[in-house]
Amino acid sequence: VRGRRNLVINGSMQVNQRNSSTTTTSTYNTDRFKLETGGGTCTYSWESLSSGSPYDEGFRNFSRLTNTATASGADNFRQLRHTIEAQDIAKSGWDYTSSTSYISISFWVRVSLAGKYTFTFLTEDGTDQSFNYSRTLVANTWTKVTQTVPGNSNLQFDNDTGSGLHIHWRAWLGSTYTSATSEDAWVTYSSGVISESGIANWGGTSGATYDLTGVQLEVNDKVTPFEHIPYGEELNLCRRYYRDHFPPVFIGVTNGTTSIARNTTYFDPPMRIGPTVTFVGTIPIYTGTHVSSFDSGDVGNQWLNDQYHEFDATPNGTIQSATGQVCIPYHSGSGGTTDRTSYGMKFEADF
């Protein structure tokens, strides 16, 4: 792994393990970048880049928000969020309580509706602090935004795996959130001071789009060229927060003739925390002499932490004539299946 100047994982938007557009708030599409909305409907998609200034700098993908149903409520909003672990800020080398020590962010953004747009940093440890800044963007034009942010004596980042620094791209905010009277300074967070007023009415514009790529955050008082890393390295970094196995990968044992026990998947690299596990589809298994299957409704006890997941299950029918025989997923052959994308397991440990 290279020097990792960039504290943002997947800022190039090249990794998309979930590979599915979504309209559901608090969900991911592009790895590490989360959709947050209130009111109306916003579609979050992962797109290919084939030309333009970001393309010339080596970017081939971007994240897109599309305002598919308008919103006008005072407490409505549209935004993308990236969260950095507290320990990664605490140990980054940024002297974050000093006003003469800096981090700098850069990114490419493109909007279909010209106007003023707000971006923010938000901390969680100690008393929440926020830092907001804005830019006036031209329609349908990629703009490179840069911002240098000083430390502040009120900032706190614990040495743990919890939320450290949230970075928000605020496509639109209702009036509840636009009572700030200043920018470019750390303040104690409250919902009313996220943004100044006068922002573009993106949320009220049907079909409006908001595109983002090339996000870099570094401990520096100036912006440097984007740190591109190979796809394999980026994917490995993302797998700390999410991974899926289609088909699944585990090994367990039979527990009598009707159940399987301690079916184990190991996580390499370890995940941020013990993940939320989702079983998808009907999973075929093989025990040496018998073929069977199970789905999420057949799963019993589960045990997990950041390094492994274990589960018991009661598959369909007889699975073995003795206890202690090996059980593995069965992906092909008689009784198995060659469709290996319709069943699997998802492991979610992002914020």
Side-chain angles (χ1 to χ4, degrees):
V1 178
R2 303 181 183 187
R4 294 290 300 136
R5 265 191 346 272
N6 192 358
L7 295 172
V8 169
I9 294 173
N10 201 32
S12 66
M13 313 291 169
Q14 66 177 320
V15 178
N16 180 14
Q17 296 182 80
R18 298 166 183 83
N19 195 29
S20 177
S21 64
T22 182
T23 59
T24 304
T25 188
S26 297
T27 56
Y28 291 86
N29 185 18
T30 307
D31 276 54
R32 304 291 354 270
F33 288 82
K34 188 174 192 176
L35 172 67
E36 296 177 323
T37 66
T41 306
C42 185
T43 301
Y44 176 20
S45 59
W46 183 66
E47 306 290 344
S48 297
L49 189 61
S50 58
S51 63
S53 296
Y55 181 90
D56 296 340
E57 290 192 0
F59 300 104
R60 295 298 181 266
N61 297 101
F62 63 93
S63 293
R64 165 167 284 184
L65 302 185
T66 303
N67 198 41
T68 43
T70 61
S72 58
D75 61 349
N76 293 173
F77 58 93
R78 305 272 190 273
Q79 61 196 34
L80 281 175
R81 170 168 66 82
H82 180 91
T83 300
I84 302 173
E85 288 182 48
Q87 63 180 350
D88 291 338
I89 298 295
K91 296 184 287 189
S92 67
W94 179 30
D95 186 5
Y96 50 83
T97 60
S98 170
S99 61
T100 59
S101 184
Y102 300 89
I103 52 174
S104 293
I105 192 169
S106 57
F107 53 87
W108 286 97
V109 62
R110 179 176 63 183
V111 295
S112 62
L113 180 68
K116 179 180 177 180
Y117 291 83
T118 297
F119 317 95
T120 63
F121 293 95
L122 174 63
T123 71
E124 277 200 21
D125 292 328
T127 302
D128 296 355
Q129 304 290 314
S130 64
F131 183 103
N132 67 299
Y133 60 103
S134 65
R135 296 291 186 275
T136 298
L137 303 177
V138 178
N140 303 312
T141 302
W142 282 109
T143 299
K144 188 169 187 177
V145 174
T146 65
Q147 179 73 32
T148 296
V149 180
N152 184 277
S153 60
N154 293 318
L155 299 184
Q156 177 179 327
F157 298 100
D158 297 337
N159 187 27
D160 61 27
T161 62
S163 300
L165 185 65
H166 300 296
I167 308 171
H168 289 98
W169 291 266
R170 315 276 190 175
W172 178 74
L173 297 164
S175 59
T176 295
Y177 312 107
T178 59
S179 298
T181 57
S182 63
E183 294 183 323
D184 301 325
W186 288 102
V187 297
T188 299
Y189 171 76
S190 71
S191 60
V193 299
I194 291 175
S195 172
E196 293 183 334
S197 60
I199 58 174
N201 187 24
W202 193 93
T205 305
S206 180
T209 57
Y210 187 106
D211 301 335
L212 178 69
T213 194
V215 182
Q216 178 156 290
L217 180 69
E218 54 194 306
V219 180
N220 207 333
D221 61 359
K222 60 182 178 296
V223 167
T224 64
F226 188 87
E227 179 186 44
H228 289 280
I229 64 174
Y231 177 85
E233 289 184 18
E234 197 90 76
L235 175 61
N236 209 41
L237 292 168
C238 289
R239 283 166 66 84
R240 175 170 172 79
Y241 302 92
Y242 174 84
R243 68 187 70 198
D244 54 38
H245 296 162
F246 285 85
V249 179
F250 60 79
I251 186 169
V253 296
T254 58
N255 184 21
T257 60
T258 59
S259 64
I260 55 176
R262 294 291 181 173
N263 303 278
T264 304
T265 299
Y266 292 101
F267 303 138
D268 183 20
M271 304 197 74
R272 181 181 69 89
I273 57 174
T276 299
V277 183
T278 303
F279 293 85
V280 179
T282 299
I283 299 175
I285 58 170
Y286 180 57
T287 62
T289 59
H290 291 70
V291 174
S292 186
S293 63
F294 70 93
D295 59 30
S296 60
D298 301 316
V299 175
N301 294 327
Q302 298 186 60
W303 304 264
L304 56 81
N305 60 27
D306 62 332
Q307 299 186 54
Y308 68 85
H309 169 253
E310 294 182 346
F311 69 93
D312 295 345
T314 304
N316 301 306
T318 300
I319 57 168
Q320 188 54 278
S321 57
T323 297
Q325 301 301 304
V326 171
C327 171
I328 59 173
Y330 194 34
H331 302 315
S332 62
S334 177
T337 176
T338 56
D339 178 9
R340 304 179 185 181
T341 62
S342 63
Y343 62 95
M345 298 168 69
K346 299 179 180 181
F347 303 93
E348 180 68 74
D350 216 325
F351 296 96

